[in-house]
Amino acid sequence: MKQILNFSLMLFIILISTAGHANVDAKILIVLTSHSDLGNTGKKTGFWLPELTHPYYEFKDAGYSVDVASIEGGMAPLDAKAFQEADEYHQKFLNDAELMAKVIRSIPLSQVNPEDYKVILFAGGSGPMWDFPKNKDISRISSAIYERNGIVSAVCHGNAALIDIKLSDGKYLIADKRVSAFTNEEEQSLGTTEIVPFLLQDKLVERGAIHVYGKAWEENVVVEGRLITGQNPASAKKVARSIIEALRKQ
C-alpha cells in the first residue's frame, strides 16, 4: 500500500509539473529591422532596444527558448538614441554575450521555418516602417504560425509588420481585429510625421483594423485572441507577459 501511495504521489507531482510548464518548450522568434537610415534626414535609426530586451528577458525568465531574426540577417542596427533614456536592462544587455551574439548574428528571415516557432514578435524602432511592410517572409511566417494556432505579436512601430499579412482565405490578418500600435500623436511628438513613409495608425485602420489607443507613451496592450499588440516601448514588457499567459492557457 505504501508503495502504491508513493507512486501515486510521484505521478501527481509529475502531472502538476508538466501542467505548469505545458508550453515552455514552445520557441519564440523576435524579429528586428535591418533598416538604419531615418528617411532622407542623414540620421540613423534601427530597432529600439527595450522592445527587444524587455520581452526577451521576460521570455527567458519564464523558461522559453528565444531566437532573434532580422529582415536581412546579420548585424541588426540598434538605434543608439535608446541609450539616452534610462532603462533597467541596458547594462544587462551590454553584459549579455548570448543576446549580443543573437543581435550581431541575427537569423535572416528568409531562412526561418515557421514550424519551428509558436510565437513571432515584431520589435519596433523607426526602422521597421521601411522594411517590414510588403515583406513576403513576414507574411509567409506570420500567417503560417497564426494558422497553426500560434501567436502573432508586435510592439510600437513593429506593428508595421501586420499591415500586409494575409491569411489563407485572402483576408488581412488584422481586419476587424483590435490592435494597439504607435499613434499619430506619438509620431508627431517625435517630429517624424513627415519623415516616415506613412502613418502607422492610419494604415492599420485602412487595412480594417480597430485601432485601440491609450495615452501617449503610456502602457497599452491589446489581446485579440492570438493577436497581441502593444502601443509603444512602455508596453513591451506587458506584451511579453500577455504572450506567456496565452501560451500557458493553450
Side-chain angles (χ1 to χ4, degrees):
M1 174 64 82
K2 185 176 180 180
Q3 289 180 332
I4 293 174
L5 288 173
N6 287 341
F7 176 76
S8 298
L9 180 60
M10 289 176 61
L11 182 61
F12 176 76
I13 292 171
I14 290 171
L15 288 172
I16 291 296
S17 175
T18 303
H21 300 83
N23 287 300
V24 80
D25 291 333
K27 289 184 68 177
I28 297 171
L29 183 68
I30 298 178
V31 181
L32 307 177
T33 182
S34 293
H35 187 88
S36 61
D37 294 321
L38 187 62
N40 297 319
T41 64
K43 298 178 181 179
K44 292 296 181 181
T45 186
F47 74 89
W48 197 250
L49 184 57
E51 293 174 29
L52 166 65
T53 55
H54 287 209
Y56 179 84
Y57 290 121
E58 289 291 322
F59 294 143
K60 294 293 285 185
D61 289 347
Y64 292 93
S65 174
V66 185
D67 288 339
V68 177
S70 66
I71 299 299
E72 297 178 4
M75 175 76 81
L78 167 59
D79 191 330
K81 293 189 294 295
F83 289 107
Q84 297 174 10
E85 300 178 6
D87 187 89
E88 59 184 311
Y89 290 136
H90 282 349
Q91 194 58 49
K92 185 172 183 177
F93 169 72
L94 294 173
N95 294 336
D96 189 340
E98 180 180 2
L99 181 53
M100 291 274 280
K102 288 182 178 183
V103 172
I104 294 169
R105 297 193 294 271
S106 65
I107 304 166
L109 207 58
S110 62
Q111 296 181 13
V112 169
N113 181 352
E115 294 184 3
D116 292 338
Y117 300 97
K118 187 68 174 178
V119 177
I120 186 166
L121 169 61
F122 296 97
S126 293
M129 293 291 286
W130 280 271
D131 65 354
F132 277 11
K134 299 180 181 178
N135 183 279
K136 293 181 179 179
D137 289 308
I138 284 178
S139 295
R140 170 181 65 85
I141 298 163
S142 300
S143 59
I145 289 174
Y146 190 80
E147 292 187 329
R148 289 176 53 250
N149 204 39
I151 295 169
V152 174
S153 183
V155 182
C156 199
H157 284 107
N159 283 276
L162 306 181
I163 63 176
D164 291 312
I165 298 172
K166 288 187 176 181
L167 301 176
S168 57
D169 61 4
K171 296 180 180 178
Y172 287 111
L173 168 64
I174 58 175
D176 301 318
K177 293 186 178 72
R178 296 176 306 124
V179 299
S180 175
F182 205 63
T183 65
N184 291 353
E185 179 186 1
E186 288 166 322
E187 199 74 69
Q188 185 176 14
S189 72
L190 289 180
T192 47
T193 299
E194 302 300 324
I195 296 173
V196 292
F198 57 90
L199 292 177
L200 182 53
Q201 176 180 331
D202 292 351
K203 185 65 71 172
L204 291 166
V205 172
E206 181 183 315
R207 291 289 193 256
I210 303 164
H211 187 254
V212 180
Y213 55 90
K215 293 182 179 179
W217 305 109
E218 293 187 12
E219 181 185 272
N220 180 37
V221 173
V222 171
V223 178
E224 181 73 75
R226 291 177 290 103
L227 177 63
I228 300 175
T229 51
Q231 179 173 321
N232 46 38
S235 308
K237 188 174 290 187
K238 187 175 179 180
V239 163
R241 290 174 177 172
S242 299
I243 290 170
I244 292 167
E245 183 180 354
L247 287 172
R248 288 174 174 169
K249 287 179 179 179
Q250 289 187 343

